[in-house]
Amino acid sequence: MAFQVSPGVNVTEKDLTNIVPAVSTSSGGIVITAEKGPIDEITTVTSEQELAEIFGKPTADNFEEWFSAANFLGYGNNLKVVRPITGLVNAVSTGTAVLIKNTADYLDTYYSATGAGQVSNIGTWAAREAGTLGNNIKVSLCPNSTAFGPHSMSGNLVADASAAIGDTTISVDDGSLMQVGDILEFGDASNVPSTDGAPSGFFYKITAISTNLLTIARFNPQTGVTETGGLRHAVVDNAKILRHWEYYFNFSTPPTTSDDVLAAGGSLDEMHIVVLDEDGGISGTAGTILETFEGVSQASDAKTSTGASNFFPDVIYAQSKFVYVMDHETTLANSGSAKKGQTFDNAQGDAFVVKTYSLASGTDDYAATNGEIATAYEKFSDTDAVDLSLLLCGPSQTTADATGDTKATAVMDIATGRKDCVAFISPARADVVGVANAITQTQNVVGFADGLPSTSYAVIDSGYKYMYDRYNDVYRFVPLNGDIAGLCARTDNIADPWFSPGGFNRGQIRGAVKLAFNPNQAQRDELYKARINPVTSFPGQGTVLFGDKTAQSKPSAFDRINVRRLFIVLEKAISTAAKFQLFEFNDEFTRAQFRNLTEPFLRDVQGRRGITDFSVVCDDSNNTGDVIDRNEFRADIFIKPARSINFIQLNFIATRTGVAFSEVAGA
């Protein structure tokens, strides 16, 4: 107690209410080559919809791994996805395309606080996602109010004496002052709108320019749609021209001076930026506006009214889903190179040319090598950094591995090394798909399993299911390991991890039109002896996981999925709780505290049918003087795991009418 001079009461607290914490058991992990999404980092998705939004829809190149992930999410809602580093690169506005793996890579490698860029020869813009999707992106940057419009083209008049209704071409004094995409209004020789009674308020988009000859089409500012048809009215020679930026109608005001820059004594820092789907490969419709950014600043220190950065590379980084700023626009005065107390664009006058950038040179690469796949799966190897329970192999067969052994072994090694998760493996596609003879399929799958290591931290299934791909309106064969891992996640939700995920109660496979390999009883016997869990379709009863073996060859309790997952839960939970004993004294108080911590937890698991009996030994019998002197602490936890039923013996015994059952019981 604290020192007191006179009598009194001193109150202290000691917390002895510690408990063994609940631990996650349903978190999955997989590597996917995808058309978009972050590369070389773990991204968590919770639904198939989110999978499609972040990593794109399945393609002919990645449907096996994509649907392995999607099928898992049909049972569970926590899947960690890694997109591997392959030969893919991001589309850029000019120069040589580069790979921007993710946001962290952008900040480390390409971002500059001044917008000056850290690499050369890649232009101002890059697609946010690596791959060919970025080749659809166009960026239009409006640098000033003159470029924004409406701008009277001083000294540039219509030079066409016969611009009649319906014409799709019209001549002007100087076509070099125009850009494809500009929106035009035509007036009379005095003004726009016209003063001689000719119709006004008709808009036309320039679709092509040949020297001074403009090809035009009608434009609807309410919808932003370019329509068919030419001039709605005749245009007189020497008529005045009023031009607008192509995306003028998407903004309420022109870019001028932001409040923050104005307060600092600067001016003309604002820009408007539009990102659009030029070719329609992203949205499905060419010319679709994907996002707009209004009033972003060229000043590197500019702020919004809320104090957030208004510097355009920062705004694009924080808000855009489609592009990064790679380098500042060098043709604009002071852009990205200076702070806010100055004029940024002093070339107003006829400076009406907007900046447009069509991104190109983005490439896909779905043919990941074994090394690239292994590197991606290594993201899941650190138990301290990644909480993981179920590791999906997806397709074991790759272009670099005809048998599938290499990838499957790498995934199994990660699970075995972690010792807190289970890997789920399907045989190579060529083992079961397109193989007409079930005997050959059995031999192929057994041969596949024979080439894999023995471990209780892996589960091998029997093949592929045939399912509908609603994204591409086709049926495809997809490996089953996503479903099997999903059954474990579903079992966790409806029962506990120590219940078997197999059988008619918890082992129903969803979405299977048919199986590539549907083994009969004799074939299931062969598979089971080889550590393989058969998936079987039963008439009227669905498609079912009909086994619960791990990939361990040695007969023991750990050759069953439920036992392995039981011990993972126990070890993970108790070891987490035990960390709080570190740096305490190894005495009877601490040992009793540990026993009082673990025994209620184990009794709870026993009450939930996970174990039949247990004993916790943590006393001076295993914490001897030598152990204490080595700064160690020991506890022996004896577990009798509950066992799943794999075999049912039913004996029907006929007796004579006059015989009592007690007379023949046990016969």
Side-chain angles (χ1 to χ4, degrees), residues 521-582:
Q521 180 66 63
Q523 292 152 2
R524 294 198 297 270
D525 290 346
E526 291 298 313
L527 296 175
Y528 224 49
K529 288 189 294 184
R531 318 171 282 156
I532 301 161
N533 295 288
V535 176
T536 305
S537 290
F538 295 93
Q541 297 176 305
T543 301
V544 180
L545 171 64
F546 221 57
D548 61 357
K549 275 203 169 187
T550 67
Q552 178 170 284
S553 303
K554 182 176 77 173
S556 82
F558 293 102
D559 68 4
R560 304 293 160 164
I561 299 174
N562 65 299
V563 175
R564 168 40 66 210
R565 299 192 71 223
L566 164 70
F567 272 78
I568 287 176
V569 171
L570 300 182
E571 292 165 6
K572 190 174 182 179
I574 293 176
S575 64
T576 300
K579 291 179 181 179
F580 294 94
Q581 310 299 320
L582 288 169

Side-chain angles (χ1 to χ4, degrees), residues 276-515:
L276 63 143
D277 183 1
E278 184 173 24
D279 304 314
I282 298 173
S283 65
T285 303
T288 298
I289 294 177
L290 301 173
E291 45 194 19
T292 61
F293 302 92
E294 184 167 0
V296 293
S297 180
Q298 300 173 62
S300 60
D301 58 344
K303 304 293 183 182
T304 66
S305 59
T306 62
S309 175
N310 196 35
F311 184 38
F312 76 100
D314 293 342
V315 175
I316 296 296
Y317 170 78
Q319 299 180 21
S320 178
K321 295 181 179 179
F322 299 96
V323 291
Y324 289 119
V325 178
M326 305 301 288
D327 199 355
H328 68 283
E329 174 50 64
T330 56
T331 63
L332 301 176
N334 298 320
S335 176
S337 63
K339 299 186 182 296
K340 56 194 175 186
Q342 61 184 291
T343 297
F344 284 86
D345 186 357
N346 53 15
Q348 291 288 288
D350 286 334
F352 48 80
V353 177
V354 300
K355 310 295 179 181
T356 59
Y357 315 82
S358 291
L359 275 55
S361 302
T363 60
D364 295 322
D365 184 8
Y366 292 97
T369 66
N370 287 329
E372 291 167 343
I373 293 172
T375 298
Y377 270 107
E378 281 296 323
K379 290 287 182 180
F380 298 122
S381 62
D382 189 345
T383 56
D384 292 329
V386 186
D387 189 9
L388 188 70
S389 304
L390 312 164
L391 190 59
L392 288 62
C393 183
S396 61
Q397 189 172 1
T398 68
T399 55
D401 182 12
T403 65
D405 291 355
T406 302
K407 181 182 179 184
T409 299
V411 175
M412 294 169 76
D413 287 346
I414 290 173
T416 304
R418 287 181 59 103
K419 298 188 181 305
D420 67 349
C421 74
V422 178
F424 293 82
I425 310 296
S426 299
R429 181 184 186 89
D431 290 336
V432 292
V433 177
V435 181
N437 190 314
I439 296 175
T440 304
Q441 291 175 314
T442 305
Q443 294 170 343
N444 290 345
V445 177
V446 170
F448 170 81
D450 286 343
L452 300 178
S454 171
T455 175
S456 67
Y457 294 96
V459 173
I460 308 170
D461 64 70
S462 60
Y464 277 60
K465 73 177 185 181
Y466 198 56
M467 62 173 292
Y468 178 61
D469 174 0
R470 62 187 178 93
Y471 301 95
N472 299 288
D473 193 26
V474 295
Y475 287 87
R476 303 187 188 276
F477 279 110
V478 177
L480 281 162
N481 61 82
D483 290 89
I484 310 306
L487 291 177
C488 290
R490 182 174 178 272
T491 298
D492 297 349
N493 292 329
I494 65 175
D496 280 301
W498 45 82
F499 282 75
S500 171
F504 293 100
N505 293 326
R506 293 178 295 276
Q508 294 281 350
I509 302 291
R510 297 172 177 171
V513 177
K514 63 180 180 180
L515 296 171

Side-chain angles (χ1 to χ4, degrees), residues 23 33 123 128 213 232 242 245 262 305 328 353 363 396 422 446 507 515 534 628 631:
V23 293
T33 54
R128 202 164 184 111
L213 183 66
R232 295 181 175 91
L242 195 68
W245 178 35
L262 181 65
S305 59
H328 68 283
V353 177
T363 60
S396 61
V422 178
V446 170
L515 296 171
I628 295 172
N631 301 102

